[in-house]
Amino acid sequence: MIFYIPLFSYFCTFITFKIKMKYNFDEIIDRKGTNALKTDALGPRYGNPDLIPLWVADMDFLSPPAITEAIIERAKHGIFGYTCASQAYYDAIINWVDKKHDWKTEQEWLTFVPGIVKGIAFVIDCFTAKDQKVIIQPPVYHPFRIIPALHHRRVVDNPLVLKAGQYNMDLDGLKKAIDSKCRLLILCNPHNPGGRVWTRRELADIAEICYDNNILVISDEIHSDLAFTPHKHTPFACVSEKAAQNSITFMAPSKTFNIAGIVSSYSIIPNKESREKFNAYLAGSELEEGHIFAYLAAQAAYEHGSEWLDEAKDYIRKNITFVDEYLKKNIPRIKVMLPQASFLVWLDCRELGLSQTELVSLFVNDAKLALNDGTMFGQGGEGYMRLNAGTPLANIQKALDNLKKAVKTRQIG
Ligand SMILES: Cc1ncc(COP(=O)(O)O)c(C=O)c1O
C-alpha cells in the first residue's frame, strides 16, 4: 500500500499537469463591445458590423494565463504611480532573445518603445532628413510605406519577386534602386504578408549592400517568435558585424502572446553611436518610458509563456493547413502562400479573374468576410487578400464555407 500512495499521487499530478498544460484554442470568445479593433471597427471600416473578422493582426485566443494573473495581481495593489522597468524585465527579454533566437544582447542595447510602428516613425525622424529616401520591399506591412510618406520622405520600392510560390528579395533591383538620397531600409523579418523567414544568406546580402551604401536598416522582428519549424528566425543583427553595427531591431511580445493592446515593444541597438542618438531622441519626449502593465506583461510572457506559445503555434499551423487543403479541394483558383512564420495567410486570388474592387466585394458583400485587401500592402498586392488564421478553427471553417458559396453563386470557382 505504501508504494501505491506515491504512485497514485504521481499519477494525479501528471493528469493535473496535463490538463493545466492544455490551452483551449478552440474556445470562441465574443470580442464585440470590448473596443477590439477587429470586431468593433467592422462597421466603420467595412460597412457591416457582422462580418467574420479575419483582418487586423491580432489573435482571438486568450493570452497565456501568467500574463493575466500578473496584471490582476498588480492591479489589486491599487496604486498606479510612476513606474520604472525592473531588472527582472530586462533579464526576461535578454534570456528570451538568447534562448529563442541565439542572440546575446546587452541590457544597455534595449529601450522600451511605445509600439513598433511608432518606433519606425521615430527612426525616420531621428536618422533621415525630409528630402531623403526610405527603401521598402513590397508587398509589405502597409505602415512601412505610409509612415515615411507621412513624414515627407520619399519611398523607394524594391519589390519582392515570386519564385516557386514564395517571395524572394531582389538584390540586383535593390542595388539599382539605391542612390545617394537613400538613407534607410525597412526590413520585415519575418515577412508580413508573405510569411517568409529570411535566410541568413539573404539577410547577409542585404546587410552588405546597405552597409556599403551607408543605408541604416530597421529590422522589424515582431513576428520572429512565430516561425514554424524547420524555419528558424535569424535576427538581422546576428548575420555579420556590419549588420549589427548598422541596424536598429524592433521586437515585442505583442504578436507572440496576443497582447498588442498592452503595447510593450522595444528596440535593440548594438551600435553605441546610433543608440545614443536614438535614445536622446526618445528622451526628448520621454518616449522611452513604459507603463506598469507593459513591463509586467512582457516579463510574465517571456518568463512563463513558452509552453503556451508552442501550443499556439501548433494550433495556428493546423489552421493554415486546413485553409490550404480546403481551398485546394473547394476553390482551387485561390492559392495559399504557405507562411513560414505567423498567423497571416496570403491568398493569391488572381485566377478568379476579378478586378480588385470585385474581389473585395466578393469577400465583404457576398461571403460576409473581413480580410485585408492585398493592395494595401503596396506593389504586388493586386489580386491578393490576407487572411488571419489566429482564430478558432470553427471560425475559419465557417468563413471558408461562406467563401465557397459566394464563389459558386458567382460561378467563378
Ligand atoms: C510587421 C509588423 N510590424 C509592426 C506591427 C505593429 O506593431 P505595433 O503594434 O507595435 O506598432 C505589425 C502588426 O501587424 C506588423 O505586422
Side-chain angles (χ1 to χ4, degrees), residues 112-116 118 252-254 259-265 290-291 293-295:
F112 174 89
V113 285
I116 291 185
K118 293 180 192 75
S254 51
I259 53 170
I262 292 176
V263 184
S264 50
S265 24
H291 56 92
F293 297 114
Y295 294 138

Side-chain angles (χ1 to χ4, degrees), residues 57 115-118 141 144 188 192 220 222-223 254-255 260 265 344 386:
I116 291 185
V117 173
K118 293 180 192 75
Y141 181 54
F144 285 20
C188 201
N192 167 15
D220 176 343
I222 198 169
H223 293 281
S254 51
K255 299 285 162 208
S265 24
L344 305 169
R386 193 192 73 178

Side-chain angles (χ1 to χ4, degrees), residues 169 189 196-204 232 234 239:
M169 296 192 196
N189 178 33
R196 263 304 307 280
V197 172
W198 305 114
T199 61
R200 191 167 274 274
R201 178 73 266 149
E202 288 168 303
L203 296 172
K232 178 150 174 38
T234 306
V239 299

